[in-house]
């Protein structure tokens, strides 16, 4: 990622110079335009015969000189920008290796079946991004047939997301109400957050929406036990409606980042109901490759320098483990054999010294006086020596 940062710094310099060049060009051109307009106004007001020709001639000569100097100055500065642009290209050549065939398996896409999988992954990614016409063109050109049952959920998802970006909550609310039971099974707060955001939009309309806001507050009744504190804050803000919520202690309710947050929550929960990951497999694979490729190139370079050609002979295998970060960790669900509960981020699986795996909650319950006896061996051990695992 350091290579990307180097190129990004050079690119930011170029963009900054472009912006500065644009501002300076506008200022100089506006100044010249004012000078020309003044001379034109003098000619119109007094006429050529009544005006002092010598003074007018001097003004026009000075104006022409300023125009010439400005053109030369702008051309010179534009030439300097070309130098900065070329530095970006040199930074790319310096930090990235264009030849990556040394770490790529040549036969990875050599069968029609694999090419079909790749095309389907690209089409699914395009559907997720709402680029429906591009996806249809790709299907026609590649011969990939996508079932309508796979396409329809993405059409609905993108329709609702587009409405949310336009700050229209009605399609999302209708979807949430129709899928209420399934969302409750996911322990989702999406429906409440949508009602909350709609209530806030009524508050932002001022005192004229007071009765509408009070009537809409009835939608909070099913969520009173789970979101009592949030509902109290919303109802308390009605006291300041006459003076404006933006001038009250409840001004945080009007923060604009709530719309981006509700889009993310909807995408996450909708994908969960569809049995899909939030990010498309293509984007995850691409991001993983961007992180892994520089490491693989460095390893290949070291192997060639030390003439260890037999170390890495199979390109479908990695010579070392590459850490892609927790975001790219995917593992099966583990159920604790002691408590009969599925593990989670707050209650992860723990590996004991003896090799048996239990949940952290079970580990804490089995610990007595700083010691733990494995329920399977039973081997006595220190619970602090247990390690969290991922699989």
């Amino acid at each position: 990622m350091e290579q990307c940062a180097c190129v990004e710094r050079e690119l930011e310099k170029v963009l900054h110079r472009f912006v500065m060049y644009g501002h300076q060009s506008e200022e100089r051109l506006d100044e010249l335009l004012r000078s020309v307009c003044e001379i034109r106004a003098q000619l119109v007001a007094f006429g050529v015969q009544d005006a002092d020709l010598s003074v007018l001639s001097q003004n026009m000569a000075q104006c022409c000189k300023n125009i010439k100097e400005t053109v030369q100055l702008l051309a010179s500065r534009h030439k300097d920008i070309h130098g900065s642009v070329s530095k970006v290209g040199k930074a790319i050549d310096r930090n990235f290796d264009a030849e990556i065939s040394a770490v790529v398996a040549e036969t990875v896409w050599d069968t029609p079946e694999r090419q079909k999988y790749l095309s389907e992954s690209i089409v699914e990614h395009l559907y997720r991004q709402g680029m429906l016409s591009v996806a249809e063109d790709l299907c026609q050109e590649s011969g990939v047939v996508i079932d309508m049952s796979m396409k329809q959920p993405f059409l609905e998802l993108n329709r609702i997301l587009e409405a949310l970006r336009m700050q229209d909550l009605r399609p999302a609310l209708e979807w949430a109400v129709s899928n209420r039971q399934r969302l409750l099974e996911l322990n989702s707060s999406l429906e409440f957050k949508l009602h909350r955001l709609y209530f806030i939009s009524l508050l932002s309309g001022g005192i004229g929406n007071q009765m509408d806001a009070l009537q809409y507050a009835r939608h909070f009744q099913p969520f009173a036990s789970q979101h009592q504190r949030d509902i109290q804050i919303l109802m308390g803000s009605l006291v300041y409606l006459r003076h404006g919520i933006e001038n009250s202690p409840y001004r945080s309710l009007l923060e604009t980042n709530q719309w981006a947050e509700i889009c993310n929550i909807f995408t996450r929960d909708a994908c969960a109901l569809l049995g899909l990951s939030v990010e498309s497999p293509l984007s995850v694979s691409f991001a993983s490759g961007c992180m892994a490729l520089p490491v693989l190139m460095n390893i290949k370079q070291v192997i060639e320098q030390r003439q260890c050609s037999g170390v890495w002979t199979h390109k479908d295998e990695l010579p070392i483990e590459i850490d892609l970060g927790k975001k790219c960790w995917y593992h099966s669900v583990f159920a604790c054999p002691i408590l009969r509960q599925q593990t989670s981020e707050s209650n992860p699986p723990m590996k004991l010294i003896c090799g048996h795996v239990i949940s952290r909650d079970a580990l804490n319950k089995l610990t007595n006086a700083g010691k733990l006896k494995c329920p399977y061996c039973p081997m006595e051990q220190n619970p602090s020596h247990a390690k969290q695992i991922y699989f």
Side-chain angles (χ1 to χ4, degrees):
M1 299 307 290
E2 183 181 351
Q3 292 88 343
C4 294
C6 292
V7 175
E8 189 175 3
R9 283 194 294 269
E10 293 294 336
L11 188 60
E12 287 176 353
K13 292 178 183 178
V14 174
L15 294 176
H16 177 71
R17 298 194 70 170
F18 265 117
V19 172
M20 294 300 297
Y21 177 78
H23 291 329
Q24 293 171 356
S25 300
E26 288 180 3
E27 291 176 359
R28 296 299 294 266
L29 292 174
D30 288 342
E31 185 179 345
L32 291 175
L33 187 60
R34 284 194 295 270
S35 300
V36 173
C37 289
E38 289 176 1
I39 296 174
R40 183 176 180 275
Q42 291 178 4
L43 290 171
V44 172
F46 302 105
V48 178
Q49 296 179 354
D50 299 332
D52 189 342
L53 294 178
S54 61
V55 175
L56 186 60
S57 177
Q58 292 177 0
N59 292 340
M60 294 183 68
Q62 184 63 39
C63 183
C64 292
K65 182 180 178 182
N66 292 338
I67 293 174
K68 186 176 180 180
E69 291 176 353
T70 300
V71 171
Q72 292 176 347
L73 179 64
L74 294 179
S76 176
R77 290 177 177 173
H78 192 270
K79 189 180 295 184
D80 294 339
I81 292 177
H82 279 285
S84 301
V85 173
S86 64
K87 288 182 179 179
V88 175
K90 293 178 181 178
I92 293 174
D93 295 337
R94 185 171 61 251
N95 290 281
F96 295 97
D97 195 337
E99 180 56 46
I100 61 172
S101 60
V103 296
V104 176
E106 295 86 353
T107 59
V108 66
W109 305 116
D110 59 347
T111 64
E113 185 180 10
R114 292 180 177 180
Q115 294 176 9
K116 178 175 175 288
Y117 289 151
L118 177 61
S119 298
E120 289 177 350
S121 299
I122 297 174
V123 170
E124 180 184 335
H125 178 78
L126 293 172
Y127 279 141
R128 284 171 175 262
Q129 299 300 316
M131 305 172 71
L132 306 180
S133 60
V134 180
E136 294 295 337
D137 290 342
L138 178 59
C139 289
Q140 291 179 2
E141 295 182 9
S142 62
V144 173
V145 179
I146 302 295
D147 190 77
M148 191 63 189
S149 60
M150 174 186 173
K151 187 189 309 183
Q152 187 61 37
F154 293 116
L155 296 176
E156 185 180 17
L157 189 147
N158 282 287
R159 178 182 64 83
I160 297 174
L161 277 176
E162 188 63 29
L164 287 175
R165 295 188 185 103
M166 300 295 292
Q167 300 189 1
D168 181 6
L169 291 166
R170 286 174 296 177
L173 279 168
E174 292 172 0
W175 182 89
V177 171
S178 62
N179 293 277
R180 177 178 294 171
Q181 188 58 41
R182 298 176 65 192
L183 289 172
L184 289 176
E185 293 173 0
L186 291 175
N187 197 25
S188 170
S189 60
L190 173 64
E191 186 179 354
F192 170 74
K193 289 183 179 294
L194 289 169
H195 285 304
R196 175 182 177 274
L197 197 54
Y198 192 90
F199 185 84
I200 291 173
S201 66
L202 291 175
L203 294 179
S204 61
I207 191 66
N209 291 340
Q210 184 175 20
M211 291 305 300
D212 292 338
L214 285 171
Q215 292 178 358
Y216 193 82
R218 297 174 182 174
H219 290 87
F220 295 136
Q221 184 178 357
F223 312 100
S225 59
Q226 294 178 322
H227 302 279
Q228 181 179 358
R229 178 59 180 165
D230 291 329
I231 295 173
Q232 288 174 345
I233 292 173
L234 293 172
M235 301 310 296
S237 65
L238 290 170
V239 178
Y240 296 89
L241 198 57
R242 185 176 299 276
H243 302 287
I245 301 298
E246 64 277 3
N247 302 318
S248 72
Y250 298 93
R251 64 177 67 92
S252 61
L253 294 175
L254 303 179
E255 291 179 352
T256 56
N257 60 353
Q258 296 179 101
W259 290 99
E261 180 186 357
I262 201 66
C263 288
N264 293 333
I265 294 174
F266 171 77
T267 303
R268 181 196 65 197
D269 292 350
C271 288
L273 291 187
L274 294 172
L276 301 171
S277 59
V278 177
E279 297 185 48
S280 71
L282 183 66
S283 61
V284 173
S285 302
F286 180 78
S288 302
C290 289
M291 289 187 283
L293 187 58
V295 179
L296 294 177
M297 295 297 294
N298 290 337
I299 293 173
K300 189 66 177 179
Q301 185 177 3
V302 171
I303 291 175
E304 291 176 351
Q305 289 176 350
R306 298 186 179 182
Q307 297 180 351
C308 303
S309 57
V311 175
W312 187 15
T313 56
H314 301 286
K315 291 181 181 177
D316 57 343
E317 298 178 359
L318 297 178
I320 64 169
E321 182 179 356
I322 299 176
D323 184 12
L324 300 178
K326 289 187 176 181
K327 188 177 180 181
C328 293
W329 286 358
Y330 299 93
H331 53 84
S332 304
V333 176
F334 174 76
C336 176
I338 305 299
L339 300 181
R340 308 291 183 181
Q341 295 176 350
Q342 290 185 359
T343 54
S344 60
E345 291 184 2
S346 58
N347 180 30
M350 306 294 292
K351 181 181 179 181
L352 306 180
I353 295 177
C354 56
H356 293 109
V357 179
I358 59 177
S359 66
R360 180 180 288 173
D361 288 348
L363 177 72
N364 295 333
K365 290 183 178 182
L366 293 172
T367 300
N368 186 15
K371 293 183 179 181
L372 168 69
K373 182 176 286 188
C374 177
Y376 294 98
C377 304
M379 174 182 176
E380 193 171 284
Q381 52 197 288
N382 190 333
S384 63
H385 293 160
K387 295 182 179 180
Q388 181 177 342
I389 65 169
Y390 304 88
F391 61 99

